[in-house]
Amino acid sequence: MIGSLTAFFALGVAEVLASFIDDQSSPLVAVGNAAIDATPEWLKSFAIRTFGSNDKRALMVGMIAVIAVLAVVLGIVSMRRPRVGLVGLMVLGAVGAIAAFNRPTGSVLSVIPSIAGAFASSYALSWLLRAAQPRAASLDATTSVSDPEMPGDVDRRRFLSVSLKVGAAAVALGGIGRFNIVRRFGVAEASRDALTIPVPASPLPPIEPGMVMDTPGISPFITPNADFYRVDTALVIPRIDADTWRLTIHGMVDHEIELTLHDLMARDLIERDITLACVSNEVGGPYVGNARWVGAPLKPLLEEAGVQADADQIVSRSVDGFTVGTPTSVAMDGRDAMLAVSMNGETLPFTHGFPVRMVVPGLYGYVSATKWLTDIELTTFDAYDPYWVQRGWAEQAPIKTQSRIDTPRALSKVKVGTVVVAGVAWAQHRGIERVEVRVDEGEWNDATLATQDTTDTWRQWRWPWEATAGDHKLEVRATDADGATQPAQRVTPFPDGATGWHTVVVVAR
């Protein structure tokens, strides 16, 4: 109990200070982010496959469980060796401080919550230990042998009183910290609600009926915002006040540019349907989605800044310091690279990068789709390795041609007779030319394709299968507009994207 109360109090102190300084300086957030950064690639991939968008929540639960165990151990040890417990608290505080300071956005102020939490918890621990000490061992003339609180026993009332005070202080501090965070989040949410996205200079017409297949179980042509995949390193989703947001374009440019959100939205905006995909997506995986984006074209902004000839890399930074490296030539080749402010007809959601994110068709997200964007630096690939490149992923990562069977699901039971096999295929910035399906490694059959929107979006497909009784293996492959058919060989996502045919086994009865 002593250890748990001490840890709870330490976190309360640290969290309330972090709420005034910076969310990233919270020891839980700082250590959690450090853990994400230090996690081996195979473990990161396992977490994404196993927990999906809940991987951060699983990490936080695991961290709290570890802290709880350490707190109990420290509490037990402190009963006999108080100095060991005090040293342990200082070590934990130092770990949190170092983690916070070493974040990309870390500063001297970032260490304050962890250090203050460690010192405050040391005082709480000492107070609790004194309250838990046995009464004086000597008897006096007024002490009765039948007294329920004999010398040598713990004064339970005193210990309970101190415990309640420490616990109440921890709850109060945690409440203040949460109030500050909610208040700040409220300001950001109000700023988002107040925004009106201007009508794009080049708006899109409504989606044509031929682009959408009315097949039960198939992925919708436009992925709803609530269902759009989320894969990032942010342990806490940034909530940015639109009124204070700034974007700086600098580095190897002739003219440094700084923009407010209103400056950005005052430009000629474009509206485009673009499919995004995560490089960690396994064959047939869920980390791909199609949305209608509104944003400011990136190329004119870079031209205004005057990109210098040797600047072959654009390093974009998130508000939390996360970095992405995009080839300058790709952003300047005429494709619809943009700084997006709207997604599927609404202001960009917080989870998808409000107030501004990058969208570059044809590249995996880790080299193109920076969320919570705040900084663009023109540099070179030789000069700087962004976040994921530092961890072994490829510098250049064009999206590979892929296809997926959405229905029937793997291991599902279907009725003998006509079964519609359907799904989506994508090869952003090249387009899908053909999709083929085969059963039990037999002949390949051409699927019917929905009308192609643009080469930057996925394409729905379907094929009627006359199912016979028994177990069957369905496979799909796609061919892009360049004539390249996705290879059969299964390759894991690392280091530049998965390959292979998506396969499902179904039972027909």
Side-chain angles (χ1 to χ4, degrees), residues 181-193 239-244 350 354:
I181 291 172
V182 170
R183 178 184 57 80
R184 191 166 63 253
F185 284 3
V187 171
E189 288 167 359
S191 72
R192 178 180 180 272
D193 293 341
R239 298 294 205 276
I240 304 166
D241 181 355
D243 294 329
T244 63
F350 286 106
F354 178 83

Side-chain angles (χ1 to χ4, degrees), residues 218-299:
I218 198 172
S219 298
F221 177 70
I222 293 293
T223 309
N225 290 352
D227 299 331
F228 206 95
Y229 77 92
R230 179 199 164 202
V231 176
D232 53 54
T233 63
L235 197 56
V236 176
I237 296 172
R239 298 294 205 276
I240 304 166
D241 181 355
D243 294 329
T244 63
W245 179 84
R246 297 291 185 275
L247 172 67
T248 304
I249 302 176
H250 63 107
M252 297 175 67
V253 296
D254 296 332
H255 313 286
E256 184 173 309
I257 295 176
E258 183 177 273
L259 297 168
T260 67
L261 185 57
H262 294 286
D263 293 335
L264 190 69
M265 293 196 301
R267 304 178 70 87
D268 288 339
L269 305 184
I270 59 174
E271 184 174 39
R272 298 291 185 269
D273 295 336
I274 298 173
T275 297
L276 301 185
C278 179
V279 71
S280 63
N281 201 33
E282 298 281 355
V283 172
Y287 303 125
V288 58
N290 188 49
R292 178 159 287 193
W293 309 91
V294 172
L298 178 58
K299 182 181 178 181

Side-chain angles (χ1 to χ4, degrees), residues 396-427:
Q396 310 283 337
I399 293 173
K400 297 179 178 179
T401 302
Q402 284 286 343
S403 53
R404 184 178 72 196
I405 298 173
D406 290 333
T407 182
R409 297 286 186 182
L411 304 180
S412 63
K413 295 179 181 179
V414 299
K415 292 182 179 181
V416 171
T418 303
V419 175
V420 177
V421 183
V424 288
W426 58 93

Side-chain angles (χ1 to χ4, degrees), residues 421-458:
V421 183
V424 288
W426 58 93
Q428 288 91 309
H429 211 58
R430 299 183 304 280
I432 292 294
E433 189 69 26
R434 186 182 190 188
V435 173
E436 300 167 280
V437 185
R438 73 176 180 177
V439 182
D440 299 330
E441 301 184 0
E443 295 294 323
W444 287 102
N445 303 274
D446 283 324
T448 300
L449 298 176
T451 302
Q452 181 168 272
D453 181 358
T454 71
T455 60
D456 292 333
T457 64
W458 63 14

